[in-house]
Structures are given as structure tokens and as C-alpha cells.
Amino acid sequence: MLGFSFSAVAEESQNELPQVIIETSEGAIEVTLRPDIAPETVDNFITYAKSGFYEGTLFHRVIPGFMIQGGGFDENLKQKQTRSPVPNEAKPTAKNLRGTIAMARTSAPDSATSQFFINLTDNGFLDAGVRGPGYAVFGKVTGGMGVVDAIASKETVRSRGMADVPREPIVIHSVSVRQTDTTAE
């Protein structure tokens, strides 16, 4: 749960929060996004998803006991052209706990574009204020955590100057946004 009761909000209004399905070569991951805590980050992620940007990208960095990262490199490990970065919306109350999704970035706080990561464990050192500006949590895996764990268990190698690359590519086939119309029955 996020530090400020993700569960309470999710239980009351999960149908009102945007949800995405990340279809991978290992299976589907359902993520509930939190525009109430990271509105620009969620809008950015949804824009990339709706444009088809993530199709054919990889989970290119997999570190057991830490996180899985994807959304920026194609199957040849060539970085895709992105839009402008978004401001870092990390908050001390939005914790990098197991199953949360956050934006990857460089050492510059406001450098996040398309890449994201899913925390495999509680990674408090990534929270805002612990060792700097932190990494913006913008949602939580609400289905398919077993898929996330399966990805985390894959053998990794060094490839094209990058470490922790799965030996067998973990492909993101699509990221689709679920309609959240609560008026339709």
C-alpha cells in the first residue's frame, strides 16, 4: 500500500481510478494508476500507452530483490525517442513499496520520460526525502504480481553495454488503458 492509504482509496473508488494492462511475453500485469498523487506522471504514462509507444519495448533491466524496469528500449536494445521529461512528483507519503510502479529517471530529478519500474520489495531508499528527491510512485500492481515475480526470476546478462538485461527478451506487447466509466452497467 502507498504510505497514505492506497488501499482505502482503491477500495472505495478503484473503478474511478485509471487502470492499465501491461501485456508481456510472460503474461499480463494490471496496474491501477493514481492521478490524485502524481497527475502529470499518470497523464504522461497514459499518453505513451495510448500512442502505442510501449509496443515492442522490453523489460530491459531486471534486478531480483529490487525492481524490474522497462518502457524505453526496443528488442535490439535501441533507446526509443521520447517526449519531453515530466516534473518529478515524488512525495514522502507515496512510498516505493512492493508492487508499486514508479518513474525511472537519470540523476536529474526532472528527467523521467517513458521508462518505469515495478518495485519487487519495499525500497524505502527511493522515497522522496530519504536520499534526495526520490522516484515518483504513480500506481500499484493490482493483478499479475506473479508475472512480475516471474520476470524478476529470469537470468540476466550484460548486453550492448547494459547490465541486468534478461537473456531471453521480456517483451511488452502492449499497454492498454481500461475504460473507467462507472455509469455503464
Side-chain angles (χ1 to χ4, degrees), residues 44-56:
N44 177 66
F45 185 79
I46 287 174
T47 298
Y48 277 113
K50 286 184 173 180
S51 75
F53 178 90
Y54 291 120
E55 293 173 12

Side-chain angles (χ1 to χ4, degrees), residues 20 33 41-49 54 101 116 138 175:
V20 296
L33 303 177
T41 303
V42 168
D43 183 59
N44 177 66
F45 185 79
I46 287 174
T47 298
Y48 277 113
Y54 291 120
I101 186 171
F116 59 89
F138 65 99
V175 178

Side-chain angles (χ1 to χ4, degrees), residues 78-102:
K78 182 177 181 225
Q79 192 164 12
K80 292 185 72 170
Q81 183 67 39
T82 60
R83 300 171 341 118
S84 297
V86 294
N88 185 351
E89 295 180 298
K91 295 170 178 56
T93 53
K95 307 287 187 190
N96 280 276
L97 301 176
R98 175 172 164 76
T100 56
I101 186 171

Side-chain angles (χ1 to χ4, degrees), residues 13-110:
S13 62
Q14 187 162 348
N15 289 337
E16 297 171 19
L17 295 172
Q19 294 181 323
V20 296
I21 303 296
I22 303 170
E23 290 287 347
T24 78
S25 53
E26 294 296 311
I29 305 165
E30 177 186 86
V31 177
T32 298
L33 303 177
R34 293 296 303 273
D36 55 321
I37 62 168
E40 289 185 61
T41 303
V42 168
D43 183 59
N44 177 66
F45 185 79
I46 287 174
T47 298
Y48 277 113
K50 286 184 173 180
S51 75
F53 178 90
Y54 291 120
E55 293 173 12
T57 61
L58 302 176
F59 275 102
H60 65 277
R61 186 172 178 227
V62 171
I63 304 174
F66 178 37
M67 61 87 214
I68 63 172
Q69 180 175 333
F73 290 86
D74 68 18
E75 293 185 60
N76 296 312
L77 291 179
K78 182 177 181 225
Q79 192 164 12
K80 292 185 72 170
Q81 183 67 39
T82 60
R83 300 171 341 118
S84 297
V86 294
N88 185 351
E89 295 180 298
K91 295 170 178 56
T93 53
K95 307 287 187 190
N96 280 276
L97 301 176
R98 175 172 164 76
T100 56
I101 186 171
M103 291 305 293
R105 61 172 176 78
T106 67
S107 59
D110 298 322

Side-chain angles (χ1 to χ4, degrees), residues 107-148:
S107 59
D110 298 322
S111 60
T113 56
S114 65
Q115 291 185 46
F116 59 89
F117 62 91
I118 299 172
N119 288 291
L120 298 171
T121 189
D122 295 354
N123 290 313
F125 67 96
L126 299 178
D127 295 343
V130 174
R131 293 191 329 196
Y135 291 77
V137 170
F138 65 99
K140 183 170 179 38
V141 173
T142 48
M145 197 62 193
V147 173
V148 173

